[in-house]
Structure formats: C-alpha cells, structure tokens
Amino acid sequence: MAEKEQTKKGEAPSEKKIKEALKKAEKRVEELERQLEESENTAKSAEEKASAAKNDYLRLMAEFDTFRRRGAEERLELVKSASADTIKGLLPVLDDCEIALKQLEGVEGSEDAVEGVNLIFTKLMAFLKTKGLEPIEAKGAEFDTELHEAVTMFPAPSEDMKGKVIDVAQTGYLLGGKVLRYAKVIVGA
C-alpha cells in the first residue's frame, strides 16, 4: 500500500505513516505470538491429558489382566480342591482292597476272589494315577516327617534299620506332588 501511495503521488510515505504501520505490524506480531503461545499451551495440555488417559488405560488393562489371571488360577485351584476331596474319599476303598488282598492270600481256593479284588484295585489305582495320585513308597526308607506319620516305634531287627521304616500300617499318597495322606508307619528304634 505504501508503494501505491508513493507511485500515485510520487513521494515517499511520511514517517508518521511508517510508524503507524510499524505499530500495527508489531501489534499483529504480538497478537500472533499470543495466539501461538495459547496454541502451544493448549497442545501441551492436550498432550498431558492424552498421556494421563493412556497411563490410566494401561493401568486399567494391567489390573484387568491380573484379575483375569487370578480368576483363572482360583477356578483351577477350586477344581483341584474338588478333585482332591473326591480322591481322598476313595482312599478308604483302596485301603479295603489292600486289606482284602492280604486276607485272601493265605486262604485256599480264593484265587478267583484274589484275582477279582486285584483287578478292581488295579483298575481303580490306574484311574487315580491318571489324576495325579501316587503311593508313597515307605517300607525300608528313611523316616521322613514330610511324608510319614510314625504310629509306633519298634526295636530295629538290625543296626541299619534304626530310624528307617520297618512296616507300613496305612499307605500314604501324593496328589500332584503334594501329600494327600501321610503314610502311617512303624519306625525302627
């Protein structure tokens, strides 16, 4: 615009007009700088809100994942517990089968009965083994309070049997590596 005035009249714009134009330009620059600063503040605020929202989201997802995993573990533990209770209820049946086999061993003409009881015992034991049940082998082993329960102490037949299991009164069982029932044993003294 200043050039148009100069070309129209042939003279340079006055100093006053230049100062006014300069003041207008400075005001415009200040206004633009203020708008830029407001925009930067708004962007910074939006970034902080987005970062906070993202952190909240990640925290919530982690909590949900923990909740889901804990729920799955609790359900699995409940199933294991129910399974352990059921198997524990079957242990007296195994005991009865063992007792019946011992009672029938010396009786004449009981071969069919021994075979039948042995068949039932074997099938039941095979099924329970698939569920993680295993008998605790105790006879002749060193007495271990983690696996054995001493019913009584008996004079050891030899020096090497002292502190060892001489006989088993009731078979103990492990379920999944944990003691389901301690073996009741007679320990050599």
Side-chain angles (χ1 to χ4, degrees):
M1 188 167 168
E3 287 180 14
K4 286 182 183 177
E5 287 181 18
Q6 189 178 21
T7 53
K8 282 183 184 176
K9 297 181 183 178
E11 55 186 61
S14 69
E15 194 176 312
K16 185 177 179 184
K17 287 185 179 184
I18 292 175
K19 284 184 180 179
E20 284 177 16
L22 188 59
K23 279 185 181 181
K24 282 182 184 179
E26 286 174 352
K27 281 184 181 180
R28 180 72 178 139
V29 168
E30 285 176 9
E31 185 180 327
L32 290 173
E33 284 176 347
R34 185 184 51 76
Q35 287 177 353
L36 179 63
E37 188 176 326
E38 285 177 6
S39 297
E40 287 174 348
N41 288 340
T42 304
K44 191 174 185 180
S45 174
E47 283 178 13
E48 289 172 356
K49 286 180 182 177
S51 177
K54 182 179 178 184
N55 287 339
D56 289 345
Y57 171 75
L58 291 175
R59 202 169 289 118
L60 185 63
M61 288 302 294
E63 286 177 16
F64 178 71
D65 190 43
T66 302
F67 169 77
R68 190 183 65 210
R69 187 175 38 243
R70 189 177 299 135
E73 288 171 359
E74 287 174 358
R75 284 190 299 279
L76 185 63
E77 191 61 37
L78 182 64
V79 168
K80 282 182 181 178
S81 174
S83 173
D85 289 344
T86 303
I87 291 173
K88 200 170 194 174
L90 291 172
L91 293 183
V93 176
L94 290 176
D95 294 338
D96 291 345
C97 286
E98 286 178 348
I99 291 169
L101 286 171
K102 285 181 184 175
Q103 294 295 322
L104 291 172
E105 276 179 7
V107 179
E108 266 187 55
S110 63
E111 293 82 25
D112 290 340
V114 169
E115 188 177 326
V117 172
N118 195 26
L119 181 67
I120 292 168
F121 178 75
T122 305
K123 282 185 178 181
L124 182 58
M125 196 61 196
F127 171 74
L128 293 175
K129 280 184 179 180
T130 64
K131 301 301 178 193
L133 185 75
E134 29 182 311
I136 296 173
E137 298 299 328
K139 194 166 188 174
E142 197 70 38
F143 178 73
D144 182 0
T145 57
E146 299 290 320
L147 300 172
H148 309 128
E149 179 183 329
V151 176
T152 187
M153 294 190 75
F154 197 77
S158 63
E159 279 297 312
D160 63 325
M161 288 301 286
K162 284 189 176 182
K164 291 190 178 184
V165 176
I166 295 175
D167 198 11
V168 179
Q170 187 178 44
T171 306
Y173 294 95
L174 299 171
L175 182 63
K178 294 181 181 177
V179 176
L180 184 63
R181 182 175 76 184
Y182 292 95
K184 294 183 179 172
V185 297
I186 299 168
V187 181

